[in-house]
Amino acid sequence: MANDKFVGRHNGPRQHEIAEMLKVVGVSSVDELINQIVPTSIRLQEPLKLDKGISEYEFAQKIKAIGAKNKIYRSFIGMGYYPTYTPAVIQRNIFENPSWYTSYTPYQAEISQGRLEALLNFQTAVISLTGMEISNCSLLDEATAAAEAMGMMFGARSRTAVKAGKNVLFVDEDIFPQTLDVINLRSVPFGIEVVVGKFEEVSLTDRMFGAIVQYPTASGEIKDYAAFAAACHEKGILVTAACDILSLVMVKSPAEWGADIAVGSTQRFGIPMGFGGPHAAYLATKDEYKRSMPGRIIGVSVDRLGNPSLRMALQTREQHIKREKATSNICTAQALLASMAGMFAVYYGAEGVKRIALHAHNAAVAVNNGLKVLGYTQRNVNFFDTLEVEVADVKKIEELALAKEINFFFPSSNVVRMSFDEVTTEAEIAAVLDIFAVAAGKNNGSAAVIGEEVAFDKKFARESAILTEKVFNKYHSETEMMRYIKKLERKDISLTHSMISLGSCTMKLNAAAEMLPLSFPEFSSLHPFAPSNQVEGYLELIADLEKDLAVITGFAATSLQPNSGANGEYTGLMVIREYHRANGQGHRNIVLIPASAHGTNPASAAMAGMEVVVVACDEKGNINVDDLKEKAAKYSDTLSGLMVTYPSTHGVFESRIKDMMDIIHNAGGQVYMDGANMNAQVGLTNPGTIGADVCHLNLHKTFAIPHGGGGPGVGPICVAAHLAKFLPSHKLVKAGGSEGISAVAAAPFGSASVLPISYGYIKMLGGEGLKNATEMAILNANYLSKKLEGCFSTLYTGETGRVGHECIIDVQHLKREYGVDATDVAKRLMDYGFHAPTLSFPVHETLMVEPTESESVQEIDRFVEAMISIKNECEEIKNGTADAEDNVLKMAPHVATEVSADEWNHKYSRMKAAYPLKWIEENKFWPASTRVDNGYGDRNLVCTCAPIESYL
């Protein structure tokens, strides 16, 4: 077993098949192919200095040993992270289910209806609890959600307010410090001045555009913000409340006291703390602000047959259209965790979550009552679950608590803060009171009984109903819940069904051996602010992973804090910005971005306060080096840097990449390399060798963390030595460089609980295996491109006629020749059982395909056969065999109810619609909807909606 090499499990092509694939491509060896694709000038001269690959069994033993170094103490730290129970039916059927965690972002609505409904449930629960009118379907974490709200309020200013210099944000001082840290950093590029103080004492000025308060406060007090909100509104100031989602079950919703925006985390809805994430945050607001909301929104539309169907509403409004004018970034979601949190609300319903919230509150009440008997002063008069206790000797309390394997939070030298939760037991309450009794030299005579008393003032009590929709009142037995989850699962395509060949998204295998540690309590149960000597296993894993990623990228240091690729882009640019500022060059604010770049690039540049200058591409899709040189010279005094994707977004290793590095450096700029296509570099070349200064990595692409239907994503950055000291820091935990920028995420190491996946991927493949995976990714892409030759051409190739790890299939001519377009091809592929490749990006009316190294030659051949069959269907339209309008492409996809209906009104057969190739009969995937009408959904925006059955 120890000799069973993981690389043979991860890669799709079998050794005996590679020779035949090479013959199709037209080369004699893999080395010959790579030599034709990757420029010699940037090839690594020696193997990556990484450990040799280990087997799955060896990794299982290794990760268990690392986990054993973590100490699972009982956490009452709170501060935005709380112990919770993940219902087993959700853990087994969603969290540990590859049909849920390997699906892609639901851009193709017809084969994503199950996930979309789960996300709609999440939105509906958030709307219900916050009292707002519209919600997005998740953000990265509470701190970044608060920063997004700041940007949203800033963007909502009237023209008059903008001209008047209305640029001050007020933040109440009793906010989580990690949230304030992220807000402070995000505010700088926009020229926002952050004023921190007490909301009861602040003098509201005409220069203020927004205010942010914590509800309940970080210290645990439930405050009455109604008068403050009214005063803000009189001054034209919008108010954001950062809310504890569980408290909203019992206390008034923020909408009821006048907040305009509510943000927070849904971690308390059944998501493990996981040393900081991933957890789904939320942002909810009034309907009038819906078109300036960040992130993704699920809305209701109709399909071709007039049936209600779900889709991502307004899904292209930010980076895909606004680009450098974007104020946010759509790649900021935690879909898998949002699905789980939504299902938590479904499973428990209103009465269940009320019991959970009341239990957390009553645990705090019981401790508070016991502390009074012991003579302690507890500061919070109105509290939900958090107490602040004045003590003479914090160190004594800490020492006694640690002896009982209990963690508290200590905000100052004479205060102990503790937060209780849904899993608090009476035995734990007794243990807590014993600690304080011993410290006071007394006996704990209080009975540790969790009652049902509501201890806060009635004026704060929630009276409005919650979770009244049918879906929250229907699936409360495990049998029904299991079937509901399975029903939704059947509506979604994922890697459990077929290849998802999305260019730049690298939908590779997420191996079960990599995923298993996520369920280990040694990784899932730890608080991100736990003492360092309790998390030695995590810190070892993190340090080792940071080192390996630095080696792979050719850089000096790594930060794992950015919790999405988009956040990684932003972080990389902010590090460059800080570097210039430290060198007295803070005026450098021009970023050159190629016209072919990902839409996230200009959106992230805008968020980092940069001014974007677009660099042209030539007719072959390569960066126009002359234009780059001209613009670098023109802006040399103010040039901050270049954002470049390599290989290019067109899937080509541009031979003049080193020249581009020199041009930028000679003009005083830094080079940021987008890591989206790192899957074509690992082991062959790297950003450091090429000459870049910083890159972000999509661990959810190249390094095997699953996409989860649109998150979790992890976007660490690796930097050259001169940038290392500027890596992001954290207020509460030692992290980052000696002169690090403020935090870019709530947790010091971002979404730490999913890092074992990438750690395992690297350790099991080893240096040689990583290189082999890259070679297979490149071979698969070139094989696919060659097999499609004669039917579909590849739009861009390198100087030797090869592509990198992905290729752009040209379908621009279809409209002219056959009257069908790229969307028709994408929808028809669903009838063949495939998710569409990346549609109309980076070139309109094309399909960008990336098979990845994990796909077998048989699966690639099936995809090629499907594409050839679709081309034949196009020819049938041209020669008159098929109708110009009523044909299988224009009507695609086809659903089971239509194909099996008594009436069939199409001019082609049912068999042709549903089973165009013989092998489809063996494993037919039925789309859940016929083609969804996107325009209808945007014109009739319905997002504050009940689950889909209520529309039937």
Side-chain angles (χ1 to χ4, degrees):
M1 184 67 193
N3 295 317
D4 187 17
K5 291 188 176 179
F6 178 72
V7 68
R9 304 299 188 194
H10 178 78
N11 289 345
R14 301 295 85 196
Q15 203 58 43
H16 67 275
E17 296 166 340
I18 292 173
E20 190 58 39
M21 295 174 73
L22 292 168
K23 194 182 295 183
V24 170
V25 173
V27 292
S28 60
S29 68
V30 171
D31 284 343
E32 182 184 350
L33 177 63
I34 298 302
N35 287 336
Q36 290 179 7
I37 292 169
V38 186
T40 307
S41 64
I42 62 168
R43 288 291 297 275
L44 297 181
Q45 297 305 302
E46 56 184 42
L48 293 171
K49 292 180 179 177
L50 297 172
D51 297 335
K52 286 186 177 180
I54 59 178
S55 70
E56 291 188 20
Y57 174 78
E58 289 168 324
F59 174 66
Q61 303 312 304
K62 184 181 182 71
I63 200 69
K64 283 177 185 173
I66 290 172
K69 296 178 184 179
N70 293 325
K71 299 173 183 175
I72 307 175
Y73 282 19
R74 182 58 167 96
S75 174
F76 295 110
I77 296 171
M79 297 293 289
Y81 302 93
Y82 309 88
T84 185
Y85 172 66
T86 306
V89 66
I90 295 174
Q91 177 168 324
R92 172 59 63 90
N93 293 293
I94 296 183
F95 185 64
E96 296 174 349
N97 182 349
S99 289
W100 282 87
Y101 66 69
T102 70
S103 54
Y104 183 60
T105 306
Y107 289 115
Q108 296 292 341
E110 297 83 358
I111 49 175
S112 307
Q113 288 296 301
R115 204 166 345 127
L116 286 164
E117 182 170 334
L119 293 174
L120 188 74
N121 291 343
F122 172 86
Q123 283 182 187
T124 307
V126 169
I127 290 164
S128 177
L129 290 165
T130 61
M132 294 294 173
E133 296 165 324
I134 190 167
S135 168
N136 65 21
C137 66
S138 78
L139 289 171
L140 297 176
D141 60 28
E142 181 168 323
T144 55
E148 293 281 7
M150 172 184 69
M152 186 176 155
M153 293 187 294
F154 191 62
R157 296 171 304 159
S158 67
R159 289 183 182 179
T160 306
V162 172
K163 287 181 180 178
K166 203 174 174 80
N167 72 331
V168 176
L169 173 76
F170 171 74
V171 181
D172 183 68
E173 64 184 18
D174 206 351
I175 191 171
F176 290 139
Q178 67 268 25
T179 300
L180 181 58
D181 213 19
V182 173
I183 288 170
N184 280 333
L185 186 67
R186 285 274 194 103
S187 68
V188 173
F190 293 112
I192 294 171
E193 181 185 336
V194 178
V195 172
V196 180
K198 297 181 187 294
F199 82 95
E200 304 98 329
E201 299 174 3
V202 64
S203 297
L204 300 176
T205 71
D206 292 334
R207 291 186 56 228
M208 290 179 177
F209 67 87
I212 300 180
V213 295
Q214 192 90 40
Y215 182 64
T217 66
S219 62
E221 187 78 24
I222 304 171
K223 297 279 191 177
D224 186 351
Y225 293 119
F228 174 71
C232 284
H233 292 152
E234 284 181 20
K235 285 276 190 182
I237 299 169
L238 297 181
V239 178
T240 293
C243 306
D244 180 324
I245 193 85
L246 190 61
S247 75
L248 299 184
V249 173
M250 292 184 66
V251 302
K252 278 184 179 176
S253 73
E256 288 175 293
W257 54 253
D260 302 286
I261 302 171
V263 299
S265 169
T266 57
Q267 183 263 318
R268 301 193 82 162
F269 274 29
I271 313 299
M273 290 186 292
F275 202 43
H279 309 132
Y282 65 85
L283 186 151
T285 188
K286 297 175 179 177
D287 188 69
E288 64 193 277
Y289 302 120
K290 64 190 174 191
R291 292 187 183 271
S292 58
M293 283 182 72
R296 301 169 181 155
I297 306 167
I298 307 307
V300 178
S301 190
V302 294
D303 70 3
R304 172 170 57 80
L305 299 176
N307 295 319
S309 296
L310 303 175
R311 60 181 284 276
M312 278 168 51
L314 309 174
Q315 66 189 40
T316 62
R317 77 187 184 285
E318 277 298 327
Q319 79 255 26
H320 298 304
I321 292 176
K322 290 184 178 179
R323 293 176 71 82
E324 67 272 12
K325 293 184 177 65
T327 56
S328 181
N329 202 311
I330 204 169
C331 296
T332 49
Q334 300 280 23
L336 182 67
L337 295 313
S339 294
M340 291 174 63
M343 287 298 182
F344 183 92
V346 169
Y347 193 43
Y348 284 106
E351 293 309 310
V353 296
K354 284 176 184 175
R355 287 195 302 272
I356 289 168
L358 187 61
H359 181 89
H361 174 64
N362 288 146
V365 171
V367 173
N368 185 51
N369 292 340
L371 290 170
K372 283 180 184 175
V373 173
L374 292 169
Y376 283 94
T377 299
Q378 197 282 112
R379 291 179 170 182
N380 294 330
V381 177
N382 293 291
F383 57 86
F384 169 60
D385 64 1
T386 299
L387 308 176
E388 281 212 332
V389 189
E390 295 180 2
V391 297
D393 187 357
V394 158
K395 291 295 179 189
K396 181 67 175 174
I397 296 289
E398 184 177 18
E399 182 184 309
L400 291 166
L402 292 174
K404 288 181 177 287
E405 299 189 349
I406 285 173
N407 287 326
F408 298 135
F409 185 74
F410 306 100
S412 69
S413 61
N414 68 329
V415 173
V416 180
R417 184 182 298 169
M418 44 192 166
S419 299
F420 299 91
D421 49 68
E422 65 162 303
V423 295
T424 305
T425 65
E426 291 182 343
E428 289 169 344
I429 290 171
V432 168
L433 291 174
D434 282 345
I435 291 166
F436 285 90
V438 172
K442 298 179 180 180
N443 291 320
N444 174 24
S446 300
V449 177
I450 299 176
E452 294 192 357
E453 171 193 357
V454 177
F456 52 78
D457 194 309
K458 288 182 180 178
K459 71 176 183 179
F460 294 114
R462 180 165 194 142
E463 295 176 357
S464 55
I466 60 167
L467 305 178
T468 57
E469 292 79 9
K470 186 177 178 182
V471 74
F472 301 118
N473 294 278
K474 191 175 180 183
Y475 305 109
H476 296 164
S477 76
E478 183 169 333
T479 308
E480 287 301 310
M481 187 65 180
M482 174 183 67
R483 289 172 182 161
Y484 178 59
I485 293 172
K486 182 60 70 174
K487 181 182 83 168
L488 299 192
E489 178 191 321
R490 286 196 298 267
K491 295 181 178 183
D492 275 13
I493 207 165
S494 70
L495 282 175
T496 63
H497 298 97
S498 57
M499 174 171 74
I500 301 180
S501 59
L502 289 144
S504 280
C505 288
T506 317
M507 299 290 291
K508 64 170 66 177
L509 171 72
N510 315 118
E514 297 156 1
M515 300 297 295
L516 284 174
L518 273 62
S519 295
F520 295 177
E522 292 83 0
F523 291 107
S524 66
S525 299
L526 273 66
H527 194 288
F529 307 151
S532 58
N533 64 357
Q534 294 176 23
V535 293
E536 289 176 356
Y538 251 125
L539 295 179
E540 177 186 320
L541 183 150
I542 286 165
D544 205 2
L545 181 57
E546 286 178 346
K547 177 180 71 67
D548 285 353
L549 293 176
V551 168
I552 289 165
T553 56
F555 282 135
T558 304
S559 170
L560 295 167
Q561 192 176 113
N563 44 11
S564 77
N567 202 9
E569 291 178 18
Y570 164 76
T571 305
L573 292 173
M574 291 301 285
V575 165
I576 289 173
R577 184 183 184 282
E578 188 64 14
Y579 166 78
H580 285 312
R581 195 195 65 77
N583 291 332
Q585 299 280 303
H587 61 278
R588 290 186 173 272
N589 70 331
I590 298 292
V591 173
L592 303 181
I593 301 181
S596 63
H598 293 113
T600 55
N601 285 179
S604 296
M607 286 176 61
M610 305 293 184
E611 185 179 328
V612 175
V613 173
V614 178
V615 178
C617 292
D618 63 23
E619 67 282 355
K620 293 183 178 179
N622 298 321
I623 296 171
N624 186 320
V625 180
D626 290 336
D627 190 50
L628 177 70
K629 193 171 186 178
E630 181 184 317
K631 283 171 178 167
K634 179 180 178 182
Y635 297 105
S636 60
D637 290 342
T638 54
L639 181 65
S640 178
L642 166 72
M643 296 185 81
V644 61
T645 301
Y646 198 74
S648 72
T649 313
H650 297 144
V652 174
F653 283 87
E654 298 180 39
S655 60
R656 297 190 64 187
I657 186 67
K658 278 204 156 187
D659 293 341
M660 300 180 212
M661 305 291 110
D662 292 339
I663 289 167
I664 299 303
H665 289 143
N666 290 338
Q670 296 282 287
V671 177
Y672 164 89
M673 187 168 281
D674 187 310
N677 293 344
M678 193 69 195
N679 208 47
Q681 286 193 37
V682 180
L684 301 177
T685 183
N686 59 41
T689 298
I690 293 166
D693 301 287
V694 56
C695 75
H696 92 270
L697 298 171
N698 297 103
L699 297 193
H700 51 288
K701 296 181 183 181
T702 304
F703 295 95
I705 290 175
H707 283 63
V714 182
I717 62 167
C718 300
V719 297
H722 64 283
L723 296 178
K725 63 183 177 181
F726 303 115
L727 289 174
S729 60
H730 195 273
K731 280 286 186 194
L732 299 172
V733 176
K734 182 173 170 39
S738 58
E739 298 175 34
I741 59 173
S742 296
V744 297
F749 305 105
S751 296
S753 69
V754 294
L755 296 179
I757 302 169
S758 296
Y759 183 78
Y761 175 80
I762 293 169
K763 295 304 179 189
M764 286 190 283
L765 282 177
E768 190 58 38
L770 287 166
K771 178 188 174 189
N772 189 241
T774 306
E775 291 169 339
M776 288 304 100
I778 291 173
L779 174 59
N780 275 355
N782 280 274
Y783 175 78
L784 186 148
S785 175
K786 203 71 177 175
K787 290 275 282 190
L788 283 173
E789 234 176 47
C791 244
F792 294 99
S793 62
T794 296
L795 189 58
Y796 297 117
T797 57
E799 293 167 7
T800 58
R802 304 295 183 195
V803 297
H805 65 311
E806 62 189 7
C807 56
I808 297 176
I809 304 302
D810 189 4
V811 294
Q812 296 174 97
H813 61 292
L814 296 186
K815 188 78 172 175
R816 182 178 67 255
E817 293 184 32
Y818 308 107
V820 300
D821 59 21
T823 297
D824 296 324
V825 176
K827 302 306 181 186
R828 181 58 174 155
L829 273 169
M830 297 176 189
D831 289 328
Y832 287 82
F834 288 106
H835 192 292
T838 305
L839 178 63
S840 283
F841 177 81
V843 180
H844 192 58
E845 288 298 306
T846 62
L847 300 171
M848 184 160 61
V849 184
E850 181 182 356
T852 85
E853 72 273 15
S854 299
E855 295 301 339
S856 67
V857 65
Q858 292 81 14
E859 184 72 354
I860 295 171
D861 284 345
R862 279 190 286 271
F863 179 82
V864 168
E865 191 179 353
M867 288 296 292
I868 292 170
S869 179
I870 288 171
K871 179 67 183 301
N872 292 335
E873 291 169 350
C874 291
E875 292 293 341
E876 290 172 356
I877 299 171
K878 187 175 183 179
N879 64 32
T881 306
D883 186 81
E885 293 301 323
D886 187 23
N887 58 66
V888 287
L889 282 107
K890 288 285 189 187
M891 296 295 110
H894 300 82
V895 296
T897 51
E898 182 184 24
V899 172
S900 61
D902 293 338
E903 286 189 37
W904 179 256
N905 298 317
H906 296 296
K907 297 177 181 179
Y908 49 89
S909 71
R910 300 171 194 260
M911 198 70 179
K912 188 174 184 66
Y915 298 100
L917 292 171
K918 184 68 179 172
W919 49 262
I920 297 173
E921 296 175 23
E922 298 175 16
N923 189 27
K924 173 69 179 177
F925 176 83
W926 287 100
S929 292
T930 58
R931 195 171 307 192
V932 176
D933 187 335
N934 290 336
Y936 179 93
D938 278 352
R939 289 190 305 273
N940 304 275
L941 189 61
V942 178
C943 304
T944 56
C945 35
I948 195 68
E949 61 258 29
S950 65
Y951 291 89
L952 298 176

